[in-house]
């Protein structure tokens, strides 16, 4: 048996970095106290979700990965508690800026960075103004508690993200998130849709999936506000939710999985054995017209 306990968290953010780091650390400590080995914090938890507005002043929030104060802080926390921590941050790299995540192993080692591949752009989610499309490609991280595949928010809507990490050897999937109300249509509630899509990724790839979202109402700088709906959850290898937070409360969720048992189930089920990647050319084109048969 190779039991691993994974945790999802959710919290409301202020506009003060030190307050958010302190609150996030408390959640990590609470999760570790419940036996968690891998703890997921939400996307861009250092402050408000600033992508409600297109304002150049927010570019100053980006900092290089090397020596980043929040990453360094959580390296110490990970080392002390013996937990794996994916840490979301706004990365400056030369003249580029990325929505990135650093993977901190349970001994405090910084394993490297993944840069968000899919960048959304819509009312209240104006991320193309702030982030370049990630250039790292999908990654899988060998940690002291198993192999992690980590995507970021909008990545979670694309089955190619989850499948790519699964075929690269991931044993668990993690998605830090910032999602809530839609400014163009306040009646549109995507929470259940958001969950079901990711539950499908867990079921299709026969592995646990963890999603952490933020809570609370945050003001924009142009008279808008967004309410984030939480609903963070953990799904098992069939896609069933085994732990779920509500929409409003700061929460730590945990669940334990036997990774060896799940590996046997994936082998038995035959999903990866029976894949036909030579037939999937249409997926790598924008209009679906690419074909191994040479027919348009």
């Amino acid at each position: 048996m190779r039991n691993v306990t994974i945790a999802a968290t959710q919290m409301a953010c202020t506009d003060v970095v030190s307050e958010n780091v302190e609150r996030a650390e408390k959640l990590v400590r609470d999760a570790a106290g419940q036996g968690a080995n891998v703890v997921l914090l939400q996307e861009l938890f250092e402050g408000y979700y600033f992508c409600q507005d297109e304002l150049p002043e927010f570019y100053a929030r980006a900092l290089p990965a090397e020596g980043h104060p929040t990453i360094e802080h959580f390296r110490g926390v990970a080392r002390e508690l013996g937990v794996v921590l994916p840490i979301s941050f706004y990365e400056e790299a030369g003249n580029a800026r990325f929505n990135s995540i650093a993977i901190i192993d349970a001994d405090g080692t910084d394993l490297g960075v993944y840069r968000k591949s899919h960048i959304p752009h819509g009312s209240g989610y104006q991320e193309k103004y702030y982030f370049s499309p990630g250039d790292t490609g999908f990654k899988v991280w060998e940690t002291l508690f198993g192999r992690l595949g980590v995507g970021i928010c909008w990545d979670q809507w694309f089955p190619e993200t989850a499948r790519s990490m699964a075929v690269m050897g991931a044993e668990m999937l993690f998605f830090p998130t910032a999602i809530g109300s839609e400014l163009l249509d306040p009646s549109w509630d995507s929470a259940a849709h958001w969950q079901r899509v990711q539950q499908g990724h867990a079921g299709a790839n026969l592995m646990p999936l963890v999603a952490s979202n933020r809570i609370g109402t945050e003001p924009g700088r142009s008279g808008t506000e967004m309410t984030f709906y939480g609903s963070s959850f953990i799904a098992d290898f069939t896609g069933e939710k085994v732990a779920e937070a509500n929409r409003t409360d700061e929460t730590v969720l945990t669940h334990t999985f036997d990774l060896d048992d799940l590996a046997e189930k994936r082998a038995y089920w035959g999903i990866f054995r029976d894949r036909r990647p030579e037939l999937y050319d249409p997926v790598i084109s924008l209009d679906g017209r690419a074909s191994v048969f040479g027919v348009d």
Side-chain angles (χ1 to χ4, degrees), residues 153-172:
C153 201
W154 193 233
D155 285 335
Q156 67 210 0
W157 293 90
F158 298 84
E160 297 86 354
T161 302
R163 179 52 55 86
S164 293
M165 294 189 292
V167 298
M168 292 169 68
E171 298 175 293
M172 302 166 277

Side-chain angles (χ1 to χ4, degrees), residues 269-286:
W269 208 248
I271 293 295
F272 296 96
R273 177 198 64 205
D274 297 340
R275 292 180 66 248
R276 295 288 307 280
E278 73 275 13
L279 302 181
Y280 303 156
D281 278 17
V283 177
I284 64 173
S285 67
L286 287 175

Side-chain angles (χ1 to χ4, degrees), residues 244-265:
E244 181 180 5
N246 65 24
R247 300 170 69 104
T248 58
D249 294 339
E250 185 173 290
T251 306
V252 173
L253 306 171
T254 63
H255 195 83
T256 301
F257 296 96
D258 180 349
L259 298 185
D260 286 339
D261 177 63
L262 293 179
E264 289 182 5
K265 286 180 168 62

Side-chain angles (χ1 to χ4, degrees), residues 7-67:
T9 67
Q10 64 182 35
M11 70 181 201
C13 293
T14 73
D15 209 24
V16 180
V17 172
S18 60
E19 294 176 354
N20 298 315
V21 169
E22 181 179 357
R23 189 172 297 177
E25 180 181 340
K26 176 183 179 299
L27 294 178
V28 170
R29 291 185 179 278
D30 287 351
Q34 296 178 41
N37 306 119
V38 187
V39 184
L40 184 63
L41 296 167
Q42 64 211 37
E43 180 187 21
L44 298 172
F45 65 85
E46 291 181 293
Y48 286 154
Y49 178 74
F50 52 87
C51 305
Q52 280 194 58
D53 309 289
E54 294 187 2
L55 295 174
E57 64 195 69
F58 290 146
Y59 289 141
R61 294 184 178 220
L63 296 172
E66 185 173 354

Side-chain angles (χ1 to χ4, degrees), residues 166-180:
V167 298
M168 292 169 68
E171 298 175 293
M172 302 166 277
L173 300 173
F174 294 80
F175 289 96
T177 300
I179 190 170

Side-chain angles (χ1 to χ4, degrees), residues 140-163:
V140 169
W141 310 92
E142 185 77 51
T143 77
L144 294 173
F145 292 106
R147 295 187 298 278
L148 278 56
V150 184
I152 303 173
C153 201
W154 193 233
D155 285 335
Q156 67 210 0
W157 293 90
F158 298 84
E160 297 86 354
T161 302
R163 179 52 55 86

